[in-house]
Amino acid sequence: MGIMEIIGIAGSVSLLAGWRLYLCVFATGLAMRFDAIPIPEHLASLDVLANPWVMGIAALAALAEFFADKVMWLDSAWDAIHTLVRPVGGALLALAIVDPSDPAMQVIAFLLGGGASLAAHAGKAGARGVVNASPEPVSNITVSTAEDVATAGLLYATYEYPYLAAGIAFVLLALVFGLVLLARRVIKRVLGGSREGNVQDTS
């Protein structure tokens, strides 16, 4: 596995962890447990994810997140609580993926992994805030379910086809920035409308 594939895997997993950290941990551990993912020697540090205790805790947390993420405004509260947890988790996952014999690469992976997870988390939280402002409650469940399916599918594709991992990471990064810009635009529009209403009321 070349350096580009490794960086691509680290980037993709970190970005996905910004959406569903516990699902990433559990799914990776489960795939390793059943030998569905051929892990090279330098990724041996990921073996800890296949530990029954780690998998059990990750499964319970993923289940709690699955339901919390379907409830309007509870999902935003859950995102707020995980503003620190997801970036740290994504950084640690990226750190476990790169070659441990290269300290410089590990530092880079930790910083970039944390930044990627934070960006993905910000995009998700912002987009869900916009969805929650919608009067249609079904949209919340639809978006959350789409995130579950996308995370599981892209995580599988990242490990199964490592040569595509870099492309997946770029697509995810573009999507994340798109979500951030969309949330920013909607928030500015809402705040702008509120200010105009206040001005009219005072006049």
Side-chain angles (χ1 to χ4, degrees):
M1 188 181 295
I3 185 65
M4 289 305 298
E5 285 86 356
I6 295 172
I7 293 175
I9 291 174
S12 296
V13 173
S14 297
L15 286 163
L16 292 172
W19 288 354
R20 294 286 191 274
L21 172 62
Y22 305 119
L23 180 59
C24 286
V25 172
F26 175 72
T28 302
L30 188 66
M32 293 174 63
R33 192 84 176 173
F34 290 97
D35 295 323
I37 299 176
I39 300 296
E41 289 185 7
H42 71 272
L43 300 186
S45 55
L46 282 175
D47 282 344
V48 68
L49 300 183
N51 181 284
W53 284 99
V54 173
M55 288 180 60
I57 293 173
L60 289 175
L63 189 63
E65 184 171 60
F66 177 83
F67 289 108
D69 206 58
K70 304 293 184 295
V71 180
M72 185 178 294
W73 298 116
L74 178 59
D75 60 341
S76 293
W78 183 274
D79 286 338
I81 294 172
H82 286 79
T83 299
L84 179 63
V85 177
R86 285 173 181 157
V88 172
L92 292 175
L93 282 172
L95 187 64
I97 289 171
V98 301
D99 190 347
S101 66
D102 189 345
M105 181 60 72
Q106 285 210 309
V107 172
I108 292 172
F110 184 83
L111 294 176
L112 293 182
S117 295
L118 180 60
H121 168 76
K124 175 190 183 300
R128 296 307 290 276
V130 172
V131 171
N132 284 333
S134 169
E136 176 54 61
V138 178
S139 59
N140 187 283
I141 298 176
T142 302
V143 171
S144 178
T145 303
E147 289 175 359
D148 293 329
V149 174
T151 300
L154 291 173
L155 188 65
Y156 171 81
T158 296
Y159 283 123
E160 184 68 19
Y161 309 104
Y163 53 87
L164 297 177
I168 293 173
F170 279 119
V171 171
L172 285 171
L173 194 59
L175 178 60
V176 163
F177 279 113
L179 291 173
V180 171
L181 291 176
L182 174 63
R184 180 173 176 270
R185 188 177 305 169
V186 172
I187 291 172
K188 285 182 65 176
R189 186 179 303 168
V190 170
L191 292 178
S194 299
R195 289 173 183 170
E196 289 178 2
N198 291 334
V199 170
Q200 291 176 358
D201 290 339
T202 55
S203 62

